[in-house]
Amino acid sequence: MTTSKSSSVSDFSPQRRSLLLFGGLSVASTAALSLGNSGTAFADKAAAPPQIEFDLDKDNYLKALGPNEQNPSQSINEDIFGSMDISAFLWLNRITAIAAFDAVAPYHKTAVGIYAKIKRRPASEATIRNMNISGLFAGWRVWQGVFGESRPAVREFMKHIGLNPDDQSTDPTTPVGIGNIAGKAAFEAHIRDGMNVLGDEGRKYNPRPWADYTGYKPVNSPFELTNPSRWQPQLHRHNGRRVGGGHGDMGIYVVQHMVTPQAARTKTLTFRSPRDFKVPPPDFSDHTDRRRYRRSADVILKASAELTDEQKVLTEVMDDKRWGIGFSAVVILLKHDQKGEQGIPGWAFFLLVHTLATFEAAIAAWYQKVKYDAVRPVTAIQHVYGKRKVTAWGGPGKGTVDDIPADEWNSYLPVGDHPEYPSGSTTLCAAASQAARRYWGSDVLDWKFTFRAGASKTEPGIVPAKDIELHFPTWTDFTTKCGHSRVWGGVHFPETIEASFAFGKQFGDLAFDYVDRHIKGQVKG
């Protein structure tokens, strides 16, 4: 094993052991460890000879295969997932975490799997080696189900550490068989769960995986605002018009479509229906109340004009769900596993709590987003002020200006391709934080790292002007900064954030209670 050192982007405490990565490596645990948008996929590159040190008898695959500490903008899953929207990414996280849980349950003294109810194995078989093998095969089967054979680096990794990726055994007395059963059961349980992973809902030809089939249509178009209270799709630059994408698409703009509105119909585990959860209507963005509507727009402009480097940095950290939300789970695990006390079962158990809390919170949030179809700040600002000049952040490298026409204003963060209310990010942060509090019995997080000067993606080379030390002492502080960052980033109204805090917290409780029952075996086998 190698030890991660400080990087040009950030420092981390505590440090963790990591693998020497190659090509597009990632396996089951990667998804369980990380949440959020991912970037360019490298899986199509030829798999280079593996440079990996991994001991099946000593190491923990869930601990070893995770976000890249040396560069938080590139975790291992970024190499393998490519560009996936947040709902699809969270969906795959959930399946992977369930597979990992079900693969370790037979080796635990009380745990019962979610989908794979495999008979408990003798205590003598609950070895690190067996649990590593079982977990790796469980993840591999999930990935085969979702991606087919388009991830050759994973296959090469399995072979390199002495495992046969083509071993289809379903013998429930062997770690390979247990892993295959767990992975296949988790995937098959989600093929028709409402997310449309196969892309054939409502169509016979040319499947569109994860595409909407509910018939959602925005009231407004990017070119005409007919209802200023409702969501307006924005125009975005496009790089996929030609085969393979690339610079040939310069000058091409595409219209936003609401991302995965069908997420609201996805099968849940921790609650019966998203309809059972209430959130107050977003009256503050009702354009018929002209004074309040303008006040909401003004609050965003004021936040934009007063942006500090630290606020800009926090908006980017929290906007990267894989990093801001996902790695917080790894941080707390590492703190509780400094001497290896948690082991593979501990990692699998908490990651399932974390993953269920975030994905199922997203299901409920998306139900409300479709229901209220609320306007984003950018639309409200442009509707209120039109071509009049306002004071706000003027764009990358411009700082605060006092002469920007409102219809040229942009938020510091890219505007999400879904309605404003409630805040998905804040809901997820609140859910993840509450899940961690319940699991560990403490509000302490104590996550510290350095955001290097000039490392901003929005204003590279400019922001921050000097290194910024970020510290999240508690989960409460983490959630608060997560929510406020959405206002600083210009993509959510403050009232939305306050409502989302309370809305999200309950899903952390539900996830913990659900997994705790399975850990204790207090479910039907």
Side-chain angles (χ1 to χ4, degrees), residues 128 347 505:
I128 294 175
W347 279 69
K505 183 178 179 181

Side-chain angles (χ1 to χ4, degrees), residues 50-352:
Q51 299 179 29
I52 304 171
E53 297 176 17
F54 186 82
D55 190 333
L56 285 169
D57 293 305
K58 296 179 181 179
D59 296 320
N60 175 348
Y61 85 101
L62 283 165
K63 184 177 181 180
L65 301 177
N68 184 353
E69 277 186 346
Q70 295 181 328
N71 189 344
S73 68
Q74 292 183 354
S75 63
I76 305 172
N77 61 35
E78 189 166 3
D79 294 342
I80 199 75
F81 279 85
S83 181
M84 293 181 70
D85 69 73
I86 181 63
S87 298
F89 199 94
L90 291 173
W91 176 89
L92 189 51
N93 286 346
R94 179 174 70 162
I95 301 177
T96 309
I98 289 172
F101 184 94
D102 285 7
V104 80
Y107 297 110
H108 189 263
K109 59 183 179 180
T110 58
V112 175
I114 310 298
Y115 292 115
K117 311 292 186 180
I118 304 170
K119 186 177 179 180
R120 200 169 314 285
R121 303 306 305 155
S124 60
E125 294 183 14
T127 63
I128 294 175
R129 183 181 187 84
N130 283 346
M131 287 186 282
N132 270 324
I133 292 173
S134 176
L136 287 167
F137 270 93
W140 173 232
R141 295 308 167 208
V142 168
W143 281 54
Q144 277 194 317
V146 176
F147 297 116
E149 286 292 327
S150 63
R151 301 301 186 265
V154 182
R155 170 179 287 279
E156 290 304 310
F157 166 69
M158 298 280 282
K159 290 165 62 177
H160 179 75
I161 61 175
L163 301 178
N164 177 9
D166 294 315
D167 190 340
Q168 297 284 341
S169 171
T170 54
D171 182 350
T173 68
T174 67
V176 173
I178 290 171
N180 284 335
I181 293 170
K184 290 177 181 178
F187 174 70
E188 290 172 1
H190 292 82
I191 292 177
R192 296 291 180 190
D193 70 346
M195 271 295 283
N196 193 23
V197 61
L198 299 180
D200 60 359
E201 292 286 351
R203 60 190 302 119
K204 185 177 180 180
Y205 302 106
N206 297 317
R208 292 179 178 174
W210 286 293
D212 178 37
Y213 57 85
T214 68
Y216 170 84
K217 293 181 180 179
V219 170
N220 302 303
S221 80
F223 312 103
E224 184 177 2
L225 185 66
T226 59
N227 187 337
S229 300
R230 302 284 290 276
W231 180 58
Q232 181 182 36
Q234 302 294 302
L235 285 176
H236 279 253
R237 286 191 297 178
H238 181 50
N239 66 347
R241 180 172 63 96
R242 303 176 189 276
V243 176
H247 298 296
D249 293 317
M250 294 290 287
I252 304 299
Y253 288 79
V254 295
V255 174
Q256 282 185 333
H257 294 262
M258 182 181 177
V259 60
T260 58
Q262 75 275 14
R265 300 186 183 183
T266 305
K267 180 182 177 181
T268 58
L269 290 174
T270 65
F271 57 85
R272 186 182 63 85
S273 169
R275 295 181 179 85
D276 297 336
F277 303 95
K278 308 299 180 184
V279 62
D283 295 337
F284 53 86
S285 59
D286 179 357
H287 75 285
T288 62
D289 186 341
R290 296 178 62 184
R291 180 175 298 179
R292 193 174 183 188
Y293 188 86
R294 178 170 179 166
R295 226 173 19 238
S296 295
D298 287 344
V299 168
I300 299 299
L301 286 174
K302 184 174 186 294
S304 176
E306 296 176 353
L307 275 173
T308 66
D309 273 14
E310 183 172 4
Q311 289 174 339
K312 291 176 178 180
V313 164
L314 282 167
T315 67
E316 293 194 17
V317 168
M318 291 301 182
D319 193 53
D320 185 346
K321 310 305 184 297
R322 169 202 62 234
W323 181 233
I325 301 176
F327 198 68
S328 65
V330 179
V331 168
I332 198 66
L333 267 166
L334 290 169
K335 288 182 179 297
H336 286 273
D337 194 31
Q338 292 179 2
K339 296 181 180 180
E341 298 96 335
Q342 298 301 314
I344 296 173
W347 279 69
F349 293 167
F350 177 66
L351 289 174
L352 181 58

